[in-house]
Amino acid sequence: MKKHPLEGKIATVKFDSGLEFRLDFLADHKMRWTSTRKVDAGATDVETIHIESYPGGIFSIDWVEESGLCVSYTLDTVNHFVKSFMTFTDDSYRGGRRPFIHEGPFQFILENGEPDLAVV
């Protein structure tokens, strides 16, 4: 499978909803997310991602979790910002899917936690 442009990168995201994650972009179109917020720190899973890159350092990253949660991130690597659109099962919403949107700062980091200043 073709290597994706973020493979080998590590990032942190801190959403306005309170969710916080470390993202490890792995080989074979995989990404490990790990919660870094106090209430569920260490919760983690590896997802198969679909990734597209666009001009200006913009990336679209999408996946479906085992629970059925559908996640779509739009990363702006120039302005260090991420916006997420998710849907999950809720029969009281149209199509039985409830939408959830949140956003916040995004930063590439090195393994030691320091900022990764290399250009993607």
Side-chain angles (χ1 to χ4, degrees):
M1 193 178 272
K2 180 181 155 194
K3 180 178 176 174
H4 65 77
L6 299 180
E7 186 174 311
K9 291 288 197 181
I10 303 168
T12 58
V13 294
K14 296 184 178 187
F15 290 108
D16 58 4
S17 63
L19 294 173
E20 297 180 7
F21 300 99
R22 171 183 160 137
L23 307 175
D24 293 271
F25 294 96
L26 310 171
D28 299 322
H29 288 255
K30 303 284 187 194
M31 181 191 72
R32 179 186 311 108
W33 58 262
T34 304
S35 178
T36 56
R37 67 181 182 164
K38 191 179 285 188
V39 69
D40 57 1
T44 189
D45 207 347
V46 175
E47 310 296 347
T48 299
I49 59 174
H50 306 275
I51 186 166
E52 294 291 332
S53 61
Y54 300 96
I58 305 295
F59 292 87
S60 174
I61 303 169
D62 308 288
W63 69 93
V64 179
E65 296 186 3
E66 186 176 342
S67 67
L69 179 72
C70 296
V71 183
S72 181
Y73 282 3
T74 302
L75 300 181
D76 179 342
T77 62
V78 173
N79 295 299
H80 310 285
F81 185 78
V82 60
K83 187 159 196 149
S84 173
F85 176 80
M86 305 185 315
T87 67
F88 52 92
T89 303
D90 186 332
D91 291 334
S92 66
Y93 283 78
R94 181 182 173 123
R97 304 292 297 175
R98 181 179 180 173
F100 181 75
I101 298 171
H102 55 177
E103 58 190 34
F106 165 90
Q107 182 177 33
F108 287 119
I109 61 169
L110 300 171
E111 187 63 45
N112 66 5
E114 293 294 318
D116 181 352
L117 305 177
V119 177
V120 177

